[in-house]
Amino acid sequence: MTTGTDWNSSPFLRAGAGTGTGGSSAHYSSDMTSWEYATTPLIVHSTQQILNNWGQDGWELVQVLVMPDGNLVAYFKRPVG
């Protein structure tokens, strides 16, 4: 009888994670994408304009967080290069 999930074979784990190897057995492809990240505050009355401007510069919206003070912060990524 099998119980639980075999996390070592999960495609969602980083290579080498959870295997006890500290990542030393990771095999990465040379075509792996490298990312750069950015954050910016969002002003509620101009959210669409702000997001469109970042998108035109090649940035992809990853997440928007509501900060404890109620302000919005957008997190972006784009490939390096």
Side-chain angles (χ1 to χ4, degrees):
M1 181 168 133
T2 304
T3 59
T5 302
D6 180 6
W7 293 107
N8 290 328
S9 65
S10 172
F12 300 107
L13 286 178
R14 292 187 313 266
T19 62
T21 63
S24 62
S25 67
H27 299 284
Y28 294 103
S29 169
S30 62
D31 61 348
M32 186 171 146
T33 302
S34 294
W35 300 96
E36 61 180 324
Y37 300 90
T39 61
T40 190
L42 291 179
I43 301 167
V44 175
H45 67 272
S46 61
T47 302
Q48 183 178 3
Q49 181 182 1
I50 294 168
L51 295 176
N52 285 339
N53 286 340
W54 282 84
Q56 288 173 354
D57 289 338
W59 292 95
E60 177 183 347
L61 179 64
V62 175
Q63 183 173 14
V64 175
L65 290 180
V66 179
M67 304 308 289
D69 60 6
N71 290 324
L72 301 174
V73 177
Y75 290 77
F76 298 90
K77 71 175 184 178
R78 71 176 174 186
V80 173

Coordinates of all heavy atoms in Angstrom, one line a residue:
M1 N 0.8 -1.2 0.0 CA 0.0 0.0 0.0 C 0.9 1.2 0.0 O 1.8 1.4 0.8 CB -0.9 0.0 1.3 CG -1.8 1.2 1.3 SD -3.0 0.9 2.6 CE -3.0 2.4 3.4
T2 N 0.6 2.2 -0.9 CA 1.3 3.4 -1.0 C 0.6 4.5 -0.2 O -0.6 4.7 -0.3 CB 1.4 3.9 -2.5 OG1 2.0 2.8 -3.2 CG2 2.3 5.1 -2.6
T3 N 1.4 5.2 0.6 CA 0.9 6.4 1.3 C 1.6 7.6 0.9 O 2.8 7.6 0.8 CB 1.0 6.2 2.8 OG1 2.4 6.0 3.1 CG2 0.2 4.9 3.3
G4 N 0.9 8.7 0.7 CA 1.5 10.0 0.4 C 1.9 10.1 -1.0 O 1.6 9.3 -1.9
T5 N 2.8 11.1 -1.2 CA 3.3 11.5 -2.5 C 4.8 11.2 -2.5 O 5.5 11.5 -1.6 CB 3.0 13.0 -2.8 OG1 1.6 13.2 -2.7 CG2 3.5 13.4 -4.2
D6 N 5.3 10.8 -3.6 CA 6.7 10.6 -3.8 C 7.3 12.0 -4.2 O 7.3 12.3 -5.4 CB 7.0 9.6 -4.9 CG 8.5 9.4 -5.1 OD1 9.3 10.0 -4.4 OD2 8.9 8.6 -6.0
W7 N 7.6 12.8 -3.3 CA 8.0 14.2 -3.6 C 9.3 14.2 -4.3 O 9.6 15.2 -5.0 CB 8.1 15.0 -2.3 CG 6.8 15.2 -1.6 CD1 6.4 14.5 -0.5 CD2 5.7 16.0 -2.1 NE1 5.1 14.9 -0.2 CE2 4.7 15.8 -1.2 CE3 5.6 16.9 -3.1 CZ2 3.5 16.5 -1.3 CZ3 4.3 17.5 -3.3 CH2 3.3 17.3 -2.4
N8 N 10.2 13.2 -4.2 CA 11.4 13.2 -5.0 C 11.2 13.2 -6.5 O 12.1 13.6 -7.2 CB 12.3 12.1 -4.5 CG 12.9 12.4 -3.1 OD1 13.1 13.5 -2.7 ND2 13.1 11.3 -2.4
S9 N 10.1 12.6 -6.9 CA 9.8 12.6 -8.3 C 8.9 13.7 -8.8 O 8.5 13.7 -10.0 CB 9.2 11.2 -8.7 OG 7.9 11.1 -8.1
S10 N 8.5 14.6 -8.0 CA 7.6 15.7 -8.3 C 8.3 16.6 -9.3 O 9.4 17.0 -9.1 CB 7.2 16.5 -7.1 OG 6.5 17.6 -7.5
P11 N 7.6 17.0 -10.4 CA 8.1 17.9 -11.4 C 8.2 19.3 -10.8 O 8.8 20.2 -11.4 CB 7.2 17.8 -12.6 CG 5.9 17.4 -12.0 CD 6.2 16.5 -10.8
F12 N 7.6 19.6 -9.6 CA 7.6 20.9 -9.1 C 8.7 21.2 -8.2 O 8.9 22.3 -7.7 CB 6.2 21.1 -8.3 CG 5.1 21.0 -9.2 CD1 4.3 19.8 -9.1 CD2 4.8 21.9 -10.2 CE1 3.2 19.7 -10.0 CE2 3.7 21.7 -11.0 CZ 2.9 20.6 -10.9
L13 N 9.5 20.2 -7.9 CA 10.7 20.4 -7.0 C 11.9 20.9 -7.9 O 12.0 20.6 -9.0 CB 11.1 19.1 -6.3 CG 10.3 18.7 -5.2 CD1 10.8 17.3 -4.7 CD2 10.3 19.7 -4.1
R14 N 12.7 21.7 -7.3 CA 14.0 22.1 -7.9 C 14.8 20.8 -8.1 O 14.8 20.0 -7.2 CB 14.7 23.1 -7.1 CG 14.1 24.4 -7.0 CD 15.0 25.4 -6.3 NE 15.6 24.9 -5.1 CZ 15.1 25.0 -3.8 NH1 14.0 25.7 -3.7 NH2 15.7 24.5 -2.8
A15 N 15.6 20.8 -9.1 CA 16.5 19.6 -9.3 C 17.4 19.5 -8.0 O 18.0 20.4 -7.6 CB 17.4 19.8 -10.5
G16 N 17.4 18.3 -7.5 CA 18.2 18.0 -6.3 C 17.5 18.3 -5.0 O 18.0 17.8 -4.0
A17 N 16.4 19.0 -5.0 CA 15.7 19.4 -3.7 C 15.1 18.1 -3.2 O 14.5 17.3 -3.9 CB 14.7 20.5 -4.0
G18 N 15.2 18.0 -1.9 CA 14.5 16.9 -1.2 C 15.2 15.5 -1.4 O 14.6 14.5 -1.0
T19 N 16.3 15.5 -2.0 CA 17.0 14.2 -2.3 C 18.1 14.0 -1.3 O 18.8 12.9 -1.3 CB 17.6 14.1 -3.7 OG1 18.6 15.2 -3.8 CG2 16.5 14.3 -4.7
G20 N 18.4 14.9 -0.4 CA 19.5 14.8 0.5 C 20.9 15.1 -0.1 O 21.9 14.8 0.5
T21 N 20.9 15.5 -1.3 CA 22.2 15.8 -2.0 C 22.6 17.2 -1.9 O 23.7 17.5 -2.4 CB 22.1 15.3 -3.5 OG1 21.1 16.2 -4.1 CG2 21.7 13.9 -3.6
G22 N 21.7 18.1 -1.4 CA 22.1 19.5 -1.4 C 22.1 20.1 -2.8 O 22.7 21.1 -3.0
G23 N 21.5 19.4 -3.7 CA 21.5 20.0 -5.1 C 22.7 19.6 -5.9 O 22.8 20.0 -7.0
S24 N 23.6 18.8 -5.3 CA 24.8 18.5 -6.0 C 24.6 17.6 -7.2 O 25.4 17.5 -8.1 CB 25.9 17.8 -5.1 OG 25.3 16.6 -4.6
S25 N 23.5 16.9 -7.3 CA 23.2 16.0 -8.4 C 22.3 16.7 -9.4 O 21.8 16.1 -10.4 CB 22.5 14.7 -7.9 OG 21.2 15.0 -7.4
A26 N 22.1 18.0 -9.3 CA 21.2 18.7 -10.2 C 21.9 18.7 -11.6 O 23.1 19.0 -11.8 CB 21.0 20.1 -9.7
H27 N 21.1 18.5 -12.6 CA 21.5 18.6 -14.0 C 20.7 19.7 -14.7 O 19.5 19.5 -14.9 CB 21.3 17.3 -14.7 CG 22.1 16.2 -14.1 ND1 23.5 16.1 -14.2 CD2 21.8 15.2 -13.2 CE1 24.0 15.0 -13.5 NE2 22.9 14.5 -12.9
Y28 N 21.3 20.8 -15.0 CA 20.6 21.9 -15.6 C 20.9 22.0 -17.1 O 22.1 21.8 -17.5 CB 20.9 23.2 -14.9 CG 20.4 23.2 -13.5 CD1 21.3 23.1 -12.5 CD2 19.0 23.4 -13.3 CE1 20.8 23.1 -11.2 CE2 18.6 23.5 -12.0 CZ 19.5 23.3 -10.9 OH 19.0 23.3 -9.6
S29 N 19.9 22.2 -17.9 CA 20.1 22.4 -19.3 C 20.8 23.8 -19.6 O 20.5 24.7 -18.9 CB 18.8 22.3 -20.0 OG 18.9 22.7 -21.3
S30 N 21.6 23.9 -20.6 CA 22.2 25.1 -20.9 C 21.2 26.1 -21.5 O 21.5 27.3 -21.6 CB 23.3 24.9 -21.9 OG 22.8 24.4 -23.1
D31 N 20.0 25.7 -21.8 CA 19.0 26.6 -22.4 C 18.0 27.0 -21.3 O 17.0 27.6 -21.6 CB 18.3 26.0 -23.5 CG 17.5 24.7 -23.2 OD1 17.7 24.2 -22.1 OD2 16.7 24.3 -24.0
M32 N 18.4 26.9 -20.0 CA 17.6 27.3 -18.9 C 17.5 28.8 -18.9 O 18.5 29.5 -19.0 CB 18.2 26.8 -17.6 CG 17.3 27.0 -16.4 SD 18.0 26.2 -15.0 CE 17.6 27.3 -13.7
T33 N 16.3 29.3 -18.7 CA 16.0 30.8 -18.7 C 16.5 31.4 -17.4 O 16.2 30.9 -16.4 CB 14.5 31.1 -18.9 OG1 14.1 30.5 -20.2 CG2 14.3 32.6 -19.0
S34 N 17.2 32.5 -17.5 CA 17.6 33.3 -16.4 C 16.6 34.5 -16.4 O 16.3 35.1 -17.4 CB 19.0 33.8 -16.5 OG 19.9 32.8 -16.4
W35 N 16.2 34.9 -15.2 CA 15.2 35.9 -15.0 C 15.8 37.1 -14.2 O 16.6 37.0 -13.4 CB 14.0 35.4 -14.2 CG 13.3 34.3 -14.9 CD1 13.5 32.9 -14.7 CD2 12.3 34.3 -16.0 NE1 12.7 32.2 -15.5 CE2 12.0 33.0 -16.3 CE3 11.7 35.4 -16.6 CZ2 11.0 32.7 -17.3 CZ3 10.8 35.1 -17.6 CH2 10.4 33.8 -17.9
E36 N 15.3 38.3 -14.5 CA 15.5 39.4 -13.6 C 14.1 39.9 -13.1 O 13.1 39.6 -13.7 CB 16.1 40.6 -14.4 CG 15.4 41.2 -15.5 CD 16.2 42.3 -16.2 OE1 16.8 43.1 -15.5 OE2 16.1 42.4 -17.5
Y37 N 14.1 40.5 -11.9 CA 12.9 40.8 -11.2 C 12.8 42.3 -10.9 O 13.8 42.9 -10.7 CB 12.7 39.9 -10.0 CG 12.8 38.5 -10.2 CD1 14.0 37.8 -10.3 CD2 11.6 37.8 -10.5 CE1 14.0 36.4 -10.6 CE2 11.6 36.4 -10.8 CZ 12.8 35.7 -10.8 OH 12.8 34.4 -11.1
A38 N 11.6 42.8 -10.8 CA 11.3 44.2 -10.4 C 10.1 44.3 -9.6 O 9.1 43.4 -9.7 CB 11.3 45.0 -11.6
T39 N 10.0 45.3 -8.8 CA 8.8 45.6 -8.0 C 8.5 47.0 -8.2 O 9.4 47.9 -8.4 CB 8.9 45.3 -6.5 OG1 10.0 46.1 -6.0 CG2 9.2 43.8 -6.2
T40 N 7.2 47.4 -8.2 CA 6.8 48.7 -8.3 C 5.4 48.9 -7.5 O 4.6 48.0 -7.5 CB 6.6 49.2 -9.7 OG1 6.4 50.6 -9.8 CG2 5.5 48.5 -10.4
P41 N 5.2 50.1 -6.9 CA 3.9 50.4 -6.3 C 2.9 50.6 -7.4 O 3.2 51.1 -8.5 CB 4.2 51.6 -5.5 CG 5.4 52.2 -6.0 CD 6.2 51.2 -6.7
L42 N 1.7 50.2 -7.1 CA 0.6 50.4 -8.0 C -0.3 51.5 -7.5 O -0.7 51.4 -6.3 CB -0.2 49.1 -8.3 CG 0.5 48.0 -9.0 CD1 -0.4 46.8 -9.2 CD2 0.9 48.5 -10.4
I43 N -0.7 52.5 -8.3 CA -1.6 53.5 -7.9 C -3.0 53.1 -8.5 O -3.1 52.9 -9.7 CB -1.2 54.9 -8.4 CG1 0.2 55.2 -7.9 CG2 -2.2 56.0 -8.1 CD1 0.9 56.4 -8.6
V44 N -4.0 53.0 -7.6 CA -5.2 52.4 -8.0 C -5.9 53.1 -9.2 O -6.4 52.4 -10.1 CB -6.2 52.4 -6.8 CG1 -7.6 51.9 -7.2 CG2 -5.6 51.6 -5.6
H45 N -5.8 54.4 -9.3 CA -6.5 55.1 -10.4 C -5.7 55.0 -11.7 O -6.3 55.4 -12.7 CB -6.8 56.6 -10.0 CG -5.5 57.4 -9.8 ND1 -4.9 57.5 -8.7 CD2 -4.8 58.1 -10.7 CE1 -3.8 58.3 -8.8 NE2 -3.8 58.7 -10.1
S46 N -4.5 54.4 -11.7 CA -3.8 54.3 -13.0 C -3.1 52.9 -13.1 O -2.1 52.7 -13.8 CB -2.7 55.4 -13.1 OG -1.8 55.3 -12.1
T47 N -3.7 51.9 -12.5 CA -3.2 50.5 -12.5 C -3.0 50.0 -13.9 O -1.9 49.5 -14.2 CB -4.1 49.6 -11.7 OG1 -4.2 50.1 -10.4 CG2 -3.5 48.2 -11.7
Q48 N -4.0 50.1 -14.8 CA -3.9 49.6 -16.1 C -2.7 50.2 -16.9 O -2.0 49.5 -17.6 CB -5.2 49.8 -16.9 CG -5.1 49.2 -18.3 CD -6.4 49.3 -19.0 OE1 -7.4 49.9 -18.5 NE2 -6.5 48.7 -20.2
Q49 N -2.6 51.5 -16.8 CA -1.5 52.2 -17.5 C -0.1 51.8 -17.0 O 0.8 51.5 -17.8 CB -1.7 53.7 -17.3 CG -0.6 54.5 -18.0 CD -0.7 56.0 -17.8 OE1 -1.6 56.5 -17.1 NE2 0.2 56.8 -18.4
I50 N 0.0 51.6 -15.7 CA 1.3 51.2 -15.1 C 1.6 49.8 -15.6 O 2.7 49.5 -16.1 CB 1.2 51.2 -13.6 CG1 1.1 52.7 -13.1 CG2 2.4 50.5 -13.0 CD1 0.8 52.8 -11.6
L51 N 0.6 48.9 -15.5 CA 0.9 47.5 -16.0 C 1.2 47.4 -17.4 O 2.1 46.7 -17.9 CB -0.3 46.6 -15.6 CG -0.6 46.4 -14.1 CD1 -1.9 45.6 -13.9 CD2 0.6 45.8 -13.4
N52 N 0.5 48.2 -18.3 CA 0.7 48.2 -19.7 C 2.1 48.7 -20.0 O 2.8 48.2 -20.9 CB -0.3 49.0 -20.4 CG -1.7 48.2 -20.6 OD1 -1.7 47.0 -20.5 ND2 -2.7 49.0 -20.8
N53 N 2.5 49.7 -19.3 CA 3.9 50.3 -19.5 C 5.0 49.2 -19.2 O 5.9 49.1 -20.0 CB 4.1 51.5 -18.7 CG 3.4 52.7 -19.2 OD1 3.0 52.8 -20.4 ND2 3.1 53.7 -18.4
W54 N 4.8 48.5 -18.1 CA 5.8 47.5 -17.8 C 5.7 46.4 -18.8 O 6.8 45.8 -19.2 CB 5.5 47.0 -16.4 CG 6.1 47.9 -15.3 CD1 5.4 49.0 -14.8 CD2 7.3 47.8 -14.7 NE1 6.2 49.6 -13.8 CE2 7.4 48.9 -13.8 CE3 8.4 46.9 -14.8 CZ2 8.5 49.1 -12.9 CZ3 9.5 47.1 -14.0 CH2 9.6 48.2 -13.1
G55 N 4.5 46.0 -19.2 CA 4.4 44.9 -20.2 C 5.0 45.3 -21.6 O 5.6 44.4 -22.2
Q56 N 4.9 46.5 -22.0 CA 5.5 47.0 -23.2 C 7.0 46.9 -23.2 O 7.7 46.8 -24.2 CB 5.1 48.4 -23.6 CG 3.6 48.5 -24.0 CD 3.1 49.9 -24.2 OE1 3.8 50.9 -23.9 NE2 1.9 50.0 -24.7
D57 N 7.6 47.0 -22.0 CA 9.0 46.9 -21.8 C 9.5 45.4 -21.6 O 10.6 45.2 -21.3 CB 9.5 47.7 -20.6 CG 9.4 49.2 -20.9 OD1 9.4 49.6 -22.1 OD2 9.4 50.0 -19.9
G58 N 8.5 44.5 -21.8 CA 8.9 43.1 -21.7 C 8.7 42.4 -20.4 O 9.1 41.3 -20.2
W59 N 8.2 43.1 -19.4 CA 8.0 42.6 -18.1 C 6.7 41.8 -18.0 O 5.6 42.3 -18.4 CB 8.0 43.7 -17.0 CG 9.4 44.3 -16.9 CD1 9.8 45.5 -17.5 CD2 10.4 43.9 -16.1 NE1 11.1 45.8 -17.1 CE2 11.5 44.8 -16.3 CE3 10.6 42.8 -15.2 CZ2 12.7 44.7 -15.6 CZ3 11.8 42.7 -14.6 CH2 12.9 43.6 -14.8
E60 N 6.7 40.7 -17.3 CA 5.5 39.9 -17.1 C 5.1 40.0 -15.6 O 5.9 39.9 -14.7 CB 5.8 38.4 -17.3 CG 4.6 37.5 -17.1 CD 5.0 36.0 -17.3 OE1 6.1 35.7 -17.9 OE2 4.2 35.2 -16.8
L61 N 3.8 40.3 -15.4 CA 3.3 40.5 -14.0 C 3.3 39.1 -13.4 O 2.7 38.1 -13.9 CB 1.9 41.1 -14.0 CG 1.2 41.2 -12.6 CD1 2.0 42.2 -11.8 CD2 -0.2 41.7 -12.8
V62 N 3.9 39.0 -12.2 CA 3.9 37.7 -11.5 C 2.9 37.7 -10.4 O 2.1 36.7 -10.2 CB 5.3 37.4 -10.9 CG1 5.3 36.2 -10.0 CG2 6.3 37.3 -12.0
Q63 N 2.8 38.8 -9.6 CA 1.9 38.9 -8.5 C 1.7 40.3 -8.1 O 2.5 41.2 -8.3 CB 2.5 38.1 -7.3 CG 1.7 38.0 -6.1 CD 2.2 37.1 -5.0 OE1 3.4 36.7 -5.1 NE2 1.5 36.7 -4.1
V64 N 0.5 40.6 -7.5 CA 0.2 41.8 -6.8 C -0.1 41.5 -5.4 O -0.9 40.7 -5.1 CB -1.0 42.6 -7.5 CG1 -1.3 43.8 -6.7 CG2 -0.6 42.9 -8.9
L65 N 0.6 42.2 -4.5 CA 0.4 42.0 -3.0 C -0.2 43.3 -2.4 O 0.2 44.4 -2.8 CB 1.7 41.7 -2.3 CG 2.3 40.4 -2.6 CD1 3.6 40.3 -1.8 CD2 1.4 39.3 -2.2
V66 N -1.1 43.1 -1.5 CA -1.6 44.2 -0.7 C -0.8 44.3 0.6 O -0.7 43.4 1.3 CB -3.1 44.0 -0.3 CG1 -3.6 45.2 0.5 CG2 -4.0 43.8 -1.6
M67 N -0.2 45.4 0.7 CA 0.7 45.6 1.9 C -0.1 45.9 3.1 O -1.3 46.3 3.0 CB 1.7 46.8 1.6 CG 2.6 46.5 0.4 SD 3.4 44.9 0.3 CE 4.6 45.2 1.5
P68 N 0.4 45.8 4.3 CA -0.3 46.1 5.6 C -1.0 47.5 5.6 O -2.0 47.7 6.2 CB 0.7 45.9 6.7 CG 1.7 45.0 6.1 CD 1.8 45.3 4.6
D69 N -0.3 48.4 4.9 CA -0.9 49.8 4.9 C -1.9 50.0 3.8 O -2.5 51.1 3.7 CB 0.2 50.8 4.8 CG 1.0 50.7 3.5 OD1 0.6 49.8 2.6 OD2 2.0 51.4 3.3
G70 N -2.3 48.9 3.1 CA -3.3 49.0 2.1 C -2.8 49.3 0.7 O -3.5 49.2 -0.3
N71 N -1.5 49.6 0.5 CA -0.9 49.9 -0.8 C -0.7 48.6 -1.5 O -0.5 47.6 -1.0 CB 0.4 50.7 -0.6 CG 0.2 52.1 -0.1 OD1 -0.8 52.7 -0.5 ND2 1.1 52.5 0.7
L72 N -0.7 48.8 -2.9 CA -0.5 47.6 -3.8 C 1.0 47.6 -4.3 O 1.5 48.7 -4.6 CB -1.4 47.6 -4.9 CG -2.9 47.6 -4.6 CD1 -3.7 47.8 -5.9 CD2 -3.3 46.3 -3.9
V73 N 1.6 46.5 -4.4 CA 2.9 46.3 -4.9 C 2.9 45.2 -6.0 O 2.4 44.1 -5.7 CB 4.0 46.0 -3.9 CG1 5.3 45.8 -4.5 CG2 4.0 47.1 -2.8
A74 N 3.3 45.6 -7.2 CA 3.4 44.6 -8.3 C 4.8 44.0 -8.4 O 5.8 44.7 -8.3 CB 3.0 45.3 -9.6
Y75 N 4.8 42.7 -8.6 CA 6.1 42.0 -8.8 C 6.1 41.5 -10.3 O 5.2 40.9 -10.8 CB 6.2 40.8 -7.9 CG 6.4 41.2 -6.5 CD1 5.3 41.7 -5.7 CD2 7.6 41.1 -5.9 CE1 5.5 42.0 -4.4 CE2 7.9 41.5 -4.6 CZ 6.8 41.9 -3.8 OH 7.0 42.3 -2.5
F76 N 7.2 41.8 -11.0 CA 7.4 41.4 -12.4 C 8.7 40.6 -12.6 O 9.6 40.6 -11.8 CB 7.6 42.7 -13.2 CG 6.4 43.7 -13.2 CD1 6.3 44.7 -12.2 CD2 5.4 43.5 -14.1 CE1 5.2 45.5 -12.2 CE2 4.3 44.4 -14.1 CZ 4.2 45.4 -13.1
K77 N 8.7 39.9 -13.7 CA 9.9 39.2 -14.2 C 10.0 39.3 -15.7 O 9.0 39.5 -16.4 CB 9.9 37.7 -13.7 CG 8.9 36.9 -14.5 CD 9.0 35.4 -14.1 CE 8.1 34.6 -15.0 NZ 8.2 33.1 -14.7
R78 N 11.2 39.2 -16.2 CA 11.5 39.1 -17.6 C 12.8 38.3 -17.8 O 13.7 38.4 -16.9 CB 11.5 40.4 -18.3 CG 12.6 41.3 -18.0 CD 12.6 42.6 -18.8 NE 13.6 43.5 -18.4 CZ 13.8 44.7 -18.8 NH1 12.9 45.2 -19.7 NH2 14.8 45.5 -18.4
P79 N 12.9 37.7 -19.0 CA 14.2 37.0 -19.2 C 15.4 38.0 -19.3 O 15.2 39.1 -19.8 CB 14.0 36.4 -20.6 CG 12.5 36.3 -20.8 CD 12.0 37.5 -20.0
V80 N 16.5 37.5 -18.8 CA 17.7 38.4 -18.8 C 18.2 38.3 -20.3 O 18.3 37.2 -20.9 CB 18.8 37.9 -17.9 CG1 20.1 38.6 -18.0 CG2 18.3 38.0 -16.4
G81 N 18.7 39.4 -20.8 CA 19.3 39.4 -22.1 C 18.7 40.3 -23.1 O 18.1 41.1 -23.4

